[in-house]
């Protein structure tokens, strides 16, 4: 397929810059009212696509099954579309505070450093992106706190914006990581940071940009579909008899890179580290063998399961890297349902969604989403695709 086939007009006001929240009003003893926002992750909207019947659910239904116009489905209604024995596969990667702000020695120029991954624990070497890159050369020193204790030296150029930094911090590694991360912010995508009023993060971002089941540190962006799940929702799912299985894929920035070729077969994805353990395989494979449904939570899970699935249609243990790029047409080998967010035009995430749900059907859903005011992006609304 061609890149231009995934272009559509997305109004700026439909890109979510914060998690879904409700306005709560509190009346004080003196009669005055105080208004504040309360985050409600699982009350964002949910649209449901039924692949075989080619029908779309947008609204809640009455006792007779008739849609209640104006009462949009909420994410927490997802539990009603699954049955005892079905399994959800989650990505339990944990986001770390990867965005740092520092100054360049002598000039005091403001520098943004985005941590990608640690290259060498003993030598404190990190692979990073810097902005503005033209000012940062090999040998430069960068300072990250007022006391001057957190200092890094640029020792290599890796790409136009990429650098290798050596942090000059003499202490046990755990203490170094703790001090480094204390200086960082949540690695929100640029389209969020750049469009907020102050162009910076908030103290709540690190919690809001983390899945509640996050466990294995290594991601520089959240597996965003998982952000909708709350402890209350997962308890309801558990009571209904739904199973939870976990893979780990450390989400990188490749999902946000612009595609520079019209022919999608020529686009190369960045590699991401992933792990599929025996426990996950046993749970998910048993679900399939017993005729129940397996739901992939997000494109990162879809990439991982498609990387680790065998020719027999069962999941295999896996430890390594994947650069799988999923776009139509694509024949899926494992998950039979998936839930994703609504993504930006021309994004690889939209392409994977279209591959799973069918290009025409998914683009029809996106058209409905735009016309009905759904929110897009990491903090946006969600799309459930079922094979029924």
């Amino acid at each position: 397929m061609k890149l231009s086939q995934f272009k559509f007009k997305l109004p700026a006001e439909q890109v979510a810059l914060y998690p879904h929240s409700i306005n709560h009003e509190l009346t004080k003893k003196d009669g005055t009212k105080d208004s504040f926002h309360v985050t409600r992750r699982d009350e964002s909207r949910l649209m449901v696509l039924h692949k075989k019947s080619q029908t779309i659910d947008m609204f809640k239904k009455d006792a007779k099954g008739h849609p209640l116009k104006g009462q949009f489905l909420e994410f927490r209604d997802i539990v009603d579309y699954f049955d005892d024995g079905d399994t959800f596969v989650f990505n339990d990667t944990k986001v770390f505070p990867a965005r740092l702000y520092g100054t360049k020695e002598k000039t005091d120029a403001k520098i943004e450093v985005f941590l990608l991954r640690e290259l060498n624990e003993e030598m404190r070497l990190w692979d990073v992106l810097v902005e503005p890159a033209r000012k940062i050369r090999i040998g430069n020193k960068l300072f990250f706190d007022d006391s001057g204790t957190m200092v890094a030296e640029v020792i290599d150029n890796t790409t136009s914006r990429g650098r290798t930094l050596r942090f000059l911090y003499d202490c046990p590694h755990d203490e170094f990581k703790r001090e480094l991360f204390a200086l960082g912010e949540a690695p929100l995508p640029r389209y969020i940071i750049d469009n907020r009023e102050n162009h910076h993060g908030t103290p709540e971002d690190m919690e809001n940009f983390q899945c509640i089941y996050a466990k294995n540190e290594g991601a520089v962006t959240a597996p965003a579909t998982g952000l909708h799940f709350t402890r209350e929702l997962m308890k309801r799912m558990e009571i209904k008899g739904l199973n939870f299985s976990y893979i780990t894929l450390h989400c990188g920035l490749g999902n946000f890179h612009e595609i520079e070729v019209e022919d999608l077969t020529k686009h190369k994805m960045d590699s991401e580290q992933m792990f599929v353990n025996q426990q996950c395989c046993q749970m998910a494979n048993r679900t399939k063998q017993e005729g129940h449904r397996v739901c992939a939570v997000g494109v990162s899970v879809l990439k991982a399961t498609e990387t680790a699935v065998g020719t027999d249609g069962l999941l295999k243990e896996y430890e390594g890297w994947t650069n799988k790029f999923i776009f139509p047409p694509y024949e899926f080998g494992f998950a039979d349902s998936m839930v994703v967010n609504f993504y930006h035009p021309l994004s690889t995430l939209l392409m994977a969604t279209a591959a799973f749900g069918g290009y025409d059907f998914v683009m029809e859903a996106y058209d409905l989403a735009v016309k009905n005011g759904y929110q897009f992006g990491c903090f946006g609304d969600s799309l459930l695709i079922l094979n029924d």
Side-chain angles (χ1 to χ4, degrees):
M1 294 196 79
K2 304 298 182 185
L3 175 65
S4 53
Q5 291 176 265
F6 295 92
K7 188 175 183 178
F8 64 94
K9 189 173 183 181
L10 177 60
E13 63 271 17
Q14 286 182 238
V15 177
L17 303 181
Y18 297 92
H20 178 80
S21 62
I22 60 170
N23 194 45
H24 192 76
E25 202 170 73
L26 182 68
T27 303
K28 299 179 182 178
K29 289 182 179 179
D30 60 4
T32 60
K33 294 184 177 181
D34 192 13
S35 181
F36 56 93
H37 288 284
V38 179
T39 298
R40 290 282 191 267
R41 294 180 182 226
D42 58 5
E43 292 181 14
S44 56
R45 291 191 198 176
L46 176 72
M47 186 185 293
V48 182
L49 272 60
H50 301 271
K51 285 170 64 175
K52 288 183 180 177
S53 64
Q54 293 286 290
T55 56
I56 298 176
D57 296 345
M58 293 174 58
F59 304 105
K60 297 176 183 289
K61 296 178 180 178
D62 62 20
K64 295 182 178 179
H66 299 131
L68 298 168
K69 293 294 183 182
Q71 294 188 33
F72 288 98
L73 286 169
E74 297 176 342
F75 188 83
R76 58 186 176 180
D77 295 321
I78 195 171
V79 71
D80 299 329
Y81 288 88
F82 291 89
D83 301 309
D84 183 8
D86 293 339
T87 293
F88 279 68
V89 183
F90 299 93
N91 181 3
D92 67 3
T93 187
K94 188 174 183 179
V95 177
F96 62 90
R99 181 172 279 115
L100 302 173
Y101 296 96
T103 56
K104 184 182 173 184
E105 64 174 339
K106 297 180 182 176
T107 66
D108 282 341
K110 300 293 185 184
I111 304 296
E112 178 181 306
V113 173
F114 195 99
L115 303 173
L116 295 177
R117 62 190 180 98
E118 191 170 34
L119 300 173
N120 186 297
E121 192 173 297
E122 185 178 345
M123 296 181 66
R124 309 285 194 263
L125 296 183
W126 278 78
D127 184 20
V128 308
L129 298 176
V130 294
E131 190 71 40
R134 68 184 183 279
K135 295 184 177 181
I136 306 302
R137 298 182 174 90
I138 293 175
N140 289 159
K141 284 188 172 65
L142 306 177
F143 295 84
F144 295 98
D145 59 3
D146 295 335
S147 66
T149 53
M150 186 63 73
V151 184
E153 181 182 8
V154 182
I155 65 170
D156 195 15
N157 293 337
T158 52
T159 64
S160 61
R161 291 179 58 219
R163 302 289 186 271
T164 300
L165 298 187
R166 179 174 63 222
F167 283 89
L168 311 175
Y169 200 91
D170 188 20
C171 69
H173 184 259
D174 287 349
E175 182 184 334
F176 160 70
K177 285 277 288 285
R178 187 166 59 249
E179 294 296 325
L180 178 65
F181 287 176
L183 296 170
E185 287 186 359
L188 297 175
R190 286 249 62 106
Y191 72 82
I192 291 180
I193 291 292
D194 291 345
N195 288 291
R196 285 184 175 179
E197 286 185 19
N198 61 359
H199 303 299
H200 269 283
T202 69
E204 297 79 30
D205 282 335
M206 202 61 229
E207 180 181 354
N208 290 337
F209 203 53
Q210 195 81 270
C211 298
I212 60 166
Y213 47 78
K215 179 181 179 184
N216 297 306
E217 184 181 276
V220 294
T221 187
T225 308
L227 297 177
H228 297 283
F229 288 87
T230 61
R231 288 175 177 80
E232 293 78 10
L233 173 58
M234 293 186 78
K235 177 56 69 175
R236 287 179 56 215
M237 294 167 70
E238 188 181 329
I239 291 170
K240 190 165 184 178
L242 305 182
N243 304 308
F244 306 146
S245 190
Y246 299 90
I247 60 92
T248 303
L249 186 144
H250 295 314
C251 303
L253 295 183
N255 298 308
F256 301 106
H257 290 169
E258 287 187 13
I259 298 179
E260 298 178 344
V261 290
E262 175 68 2
D263 181 357
L264 296 182
T265 61
K266 296 179 180 178
H267 177 66
K268 297 292 185 287
M269 290 286 288
D270 291 353
S271 292
E272 296 166 304
Q273 192 175 20
M274 59 167 277
F275 306 86
V276 180
N277 62 29
Q278 183 183 29
Q279 187 177 6
C280 173
C281 293
Q282 289 175 342
M283 172 69 75
N285 289 338
R286 185 171 70 247
T287 300
K288 283 203 76 173
Q289 290 168 331
E290 292 177 353
H292 297 294
R293 283 179 293 185
V294 175
C295 181
V297 178
V299 171
S300 64
V301 171
L302 203 65
K303 283 194 286 189
T305 55
E306 287 303 305
T307 299
V309 69
T311 54
D312 58 358
L314 298 178
L315 211 54
K316 313 296 181 186
E317 290 182 66
Y318 188 97
E319 181 175 335
W321 297 75
T322 182
N323 64 349
K324 185 169 284 294
F325 176 31
I326 299 174
F327 62 93
Y330 184 93
E331 189 166 333
F332 289 87
F334 194 70
D336 49 56
S337 57
M338 75 178 297
V339 58
V340 287
N341 280 19
F342 282 100
Y343 301 114
H344 284 69
L346 307 177
S347 69
T348 60
L349 302 168
L350 166 57
M351 293 164 192
T353 305
F356 194 88
Y359 172 80
D360 291 333
F361 196 30
V362 166
M363 296 311 288
E364 177 188 348
Y366 266 61
D367 186 52
L368 281 173
V370 171
K371 288 177 179 176
N372 286 275
Y374 283 68
Q375 293 287 292
F376 285 67
C378 292
F379 289 140
D381 295 318
S382 301
L383 183 67
L384 172 63
I385 305 175
L386 300 172
N387 190 30
D388 61 8

